[in-house]
Amino acid sequence: MGSPSSISFSLSPSQERVRSLTASTTDTKEVIWTDNLRERMAAVEENWQMKLSTIKERTTVIFNNELLSDVKFMVPVSEAESETRKTIPAHKLVLAISSPVFYAMFYGQLAEAKDCIELPDCEYDSLLEFLRYLYSDEANLTGSNVMHVLYLANKYMVPSLAEKCGEYLRENLSTTNVFSILPHARKFEDKDLEGLCWQVIEENTEEAVTSDDFVTLERSLTESVVKRERLTVKEVDLFKAVDRWATKESDRKGITTDGESKRRIIGENILKAIRFPMMSQKEFVSVVFDSKILNFQEISELMKYYSDVELTSPLPFIKFPRLICYRVYRFSVYQPPGVDRSWAYSGKTNDGIFFSVNKSVKLHGIQHFGREGCQYTVSTEVNDTTNKFSLVKKTGSYISEIDEKHEYFGFTVCFDSPLQLHEGKRYEVRSLIQGPLSWYGEEGNPFLECSQVQFNFYRFTSSSNGTTELRGQFAAFLFSK
């Protein structure tokens, strides 16, 4: 056998081409390659693979790059762009190992033979971020692209990206965008996100229905909003929002926007869900009457109702108010369970506190602190401190979930029926808890106001487990007026 320096072998044409790509010269640094490869490698540094230690780094280099590309996607762009369509180069192998849909498209029995694929249902920027994630596990999500990226993540079966989009939406959910997010949450059956959307709508209805996105809703969703039992909005303002929605819907359909046309668009189910009897006579006359959406008989019956004139037939509209539920938070600091701090439960000691309200309200439940994913067995009661007897008691097992507003973990004990609290009367809430260490609150405020209702929490406490007006259990109180 010869020495290593004497060993020689011949290269195939393809191997020669690879060697020519990776070769360097000290004088001219010139590399010999074909015209096609010259185009692909134009912006790539020589021997780039040697400087990147991970597969993620290497696939990131070829993202949106002609280098080694074997497929292109053609997508439309906005009318503001000079071009009507753009292409994005890609790599079948990278896509196929990330998505079963792409795998079937490129390597399945009915594999796509074309090297240029048109995607008319995509937007350029959103598809770019979707592909960026497949190459790098990263995506630059924004309010303008997240819904389209979520659509692509579901279409091409990339659940990790769909989850990332869901997290972004949860973190950025607000009254200004809730009606753009809710339809997608329902479409993709994301129950957690849908529930958060409804919570935002119920607690901030007035701001939500006056947002620009409300008028873009499909009729079924508009109906779902108006039929909600818990809404924080005056009925006349809800009617104004529905009227505005019907006007926009008329414009989209190219029909006149008179009262009769808008009524047909609104439909009887939505109209009958608006609680006209809850409006004042002045609100009704100045807003509803002039809209000409109601017919003469309905207007006549409602005017009689406002004037306490006996009606010959029952009103076709709901005559009791919606349940408007508010949440008053006790603490300004929230502590997670840890080695040197936590809230512990023996199952034998009570957490309790005394409180009163300055106006008569209905108490619906009390939110307790918990720990992520943990289960607690709880017995909660509210007592009359004057007559010393229990007014309401609820026992059950609960799983902790995150509170989206303050990002601690807890669970809410809701009473079977709301408890009427009377102005100035002192009450005691007491809970016997069994379960693991939990979050707890600090820097509590003894005097809290929410929607013009003041809650007072007293220094004297019945707790044998350490809860006071300043720290401990009972994260929030849920009430309605």
Side-chain angles (χ1 to χ4, degrees), residues 367-386:
Q367 185 188 41
H368 294 62
F369 288 108
R371 187 171 186 166
E372 181 176 4
C374 292
Q375 180 171 312
Y376 295 82
T377 300
V378 184
S379 178
T380 298
E381 62 180 332
V382 179
N383 301 318
D384 182 326
T385 61
T386 303

Side-chain angles (χ1 to χ4, degrees), residues 181-291:
I181 295 174
L182 177 59
H184 295 276
R186 298 183 79 178
K187 179 179 179 180
F188 298 126
E189 298 182 349
D190 189 332
K191 298 300 182 183
D192 292 338
L193 181 57
E194 182 181 353
L196 288 175
C197 287
W198 283 121
Q199 182 178 333
V200 170
I201 293 167
E202 289 179 348
E203 295 180 358
N204 308 275
T205 313
E206 184 175 355
E207 295 90 337
V209 298
T210 55
S211 67
D212 293 337
D213 287 332
F214 179 75
V215 297
T216 67
L217 290 181
E218 293 183 356
R219 189 185 175 284
S220 61
L221 259 182
T222 304
E223 181 176 332
S224 295
V225 172
V226 177
K227 285 186 172 182
R228 300 296 289 189
E229 188 64 29
R230 299 174 185 266
L231 291 177
T232 51
V233 64
K234 293 177 66 176
E235 213 66 31
V236 66
D237 292 328
L238 181 61
F239 175 81
K240 288 178 182 179
V242 171
D243 188 13
R244 188 167 62 95
W245 169 81
T247 300
K248 290 290 185 181
E249 192 73 2
S250 299
D251 292 341
R252 284 190 287 268
K253 294 183 177 181
I255 61 179
T256 58
T257 55
D258 57 36
E260 186 177 344
S261 298
K262 286 192 286 187
R263 177 165 184 142
R264 285 197 298 270
I265 288 173
I266 293 171
E268 297 305 304
N269 288 340
I270 293 178
L271 199 65
K272 293 300 190 288
I274 298 175
R275 308 187 181 195
F276 295 103
M278 295 299 99
M279 300 181 190
S280 68
Q281 183 171 337
K282 182 178 180 180
E283 289 171 337
F284 179 80
V285 172
S286 61
V287 176
V288 182
F289 184 86
D290 290 339
S291 73

